[in-house]
Amino acid sequence: MQLRAEHNYYEVLRVSPEASEQAIRRAYAKRRRELEQTRDEAALATLVRARATLLDPNARAHYDALLRYGDAATKLYEQATAAVQLGEWDDAVKHLSRIIALIPTAHTVRLELGMAQVEQGDLLGALRTFNKLVNGKPPTPPLCRRVKNLNVTGVPCSNRCARVRNPGTARSTKSNMRSVYSATRASYA
């Protein structure tokens, strides 16, 4: 998984990380004129992504976190993956939680944290994690439907999801959570 920033958008636009929205717009216009003369389509596409990312406050915050903590998060993710492969769920949860502390908007990592909590046996913690995931990013319709169909009671629900009914066994809950995970992993990648 890529938890590093692919390009330094501040360098692409030739602005400082503290640049205002107006400075980013001016720098974009200047760089676009320069790149249109060279007809470098790849650089132009990177420039457009840089502008879009740095002008959106949420995307910029996520990008800044990737730029600042990307190497540490990638190392933690590798450790979490190794722990998952060995079935050491406590370690996996610990490493994935640290990544979320560094980069709170890493939705795919949060999804994997929820599944690690399921495997660890912490179903309530997993439901809290999934709830944060749903509230942190607009959910896709399949995610809402699947979360509504989980056989768990007493789950705090947002306005987007109705309270879950029909209490089931821990085994069926774990199975249902796995289906939520597999159905939504691709949409948060």
Side-chain angles (χ1 to χ4, degrees):
M1 171 183 289
Q2 182 69 15
L3 290 172
R4 293 184 182 105
E6 189 175 340
H7 298 282
N8 187 329
Y9 290 154
Y10 296 109
E11 290 176 5
V12 169
L13 287 169
R14 297 179 183 160
V15 295
S16 74
E18 296 82 27
S20 68
E21 185 176 311
Q22 191 66 20
I24 291 169
R25 290 182 193 278
R26 281 194 306 266
Y28 170 78
K30 182 179 177 183
R31 288 287 292 144
R32 181 157 182 120
R33 283 190 299 272
E34 293 171 5
L35 291 174
E36 284 175 347
Q37 292 174 356
T38 63
R39 300 192 189 273
D40 185 355
E41 294 297 321
L44 196 56
T46 302
L47 182 69
V48 169
R49 280 194 311 274
R51 178 183 181 264
T53 300
L54 297 181
L55 288 178
D56 178 7
N58 293 332
R60 186 173 183 174
H62 179 72
Y63 174 76
D64 287 342
L66 287 178
L67 204 57
R68 185 170 183 186
Y69 301 114
D71 292 334
T74 299
K75 189 177 287 186
L76 285 168
Y77 188 77
E78 291 167 359
Q79 293 171 348
T81 302
V84 165
Q85 290 172 349
L86 295 173
E88 298 173 356
W89 300 109
D90 292 336
D91 289 341
V93 167
K94 179 177 73 173
H95 296 310
L96 292 170
S97 296
R98 287 181 181 166
I99 295 170
I100 295 298
L102 294 174
I103 308 172
T105 54
H107 300 300
T108 304
V109 174
R110 192 174 298 275
L111 186 61
E112 292 186 19
L113 172 62
M115 278 315 300
Q117 288 171 320
V118 168
E119 295 296 335
Q120 182 186 34
D122 182 11
L123 298 179
L124 188 56
L127 288 169
R128 286 187 191 124
T129 298
F130 289 138
N131 192 33
K132 286 179 186 175
L133 180 66
V134 170
N135 290 327
K137 179 180 178 185
T140 58
L143 176 62
C144 274
R145 281 193 297 276
R146 288 181 182 266
V147 169
K148 285 180 186 178
N149 292 331
L150 286 175
N151 292 326
V152 181
T153 57
V155 178
C157 296
S158 67
N159 292 335
R160 295 186 188 125
C161 298
R163 183 170 296 276
V164 183
R165 295 182 181 90
N166 303 329
T169 64
R171 171 173 258 174
S172 67
T173 301
K174 200 173 196 179
S175 171
N176 287 335
M177 286 182 158
R178 281 191 183 125
S179 75
V180 169
Y181 173 76
S182 62
T184 59
R185 179 166 167 68
S187 69
Y188 281 94

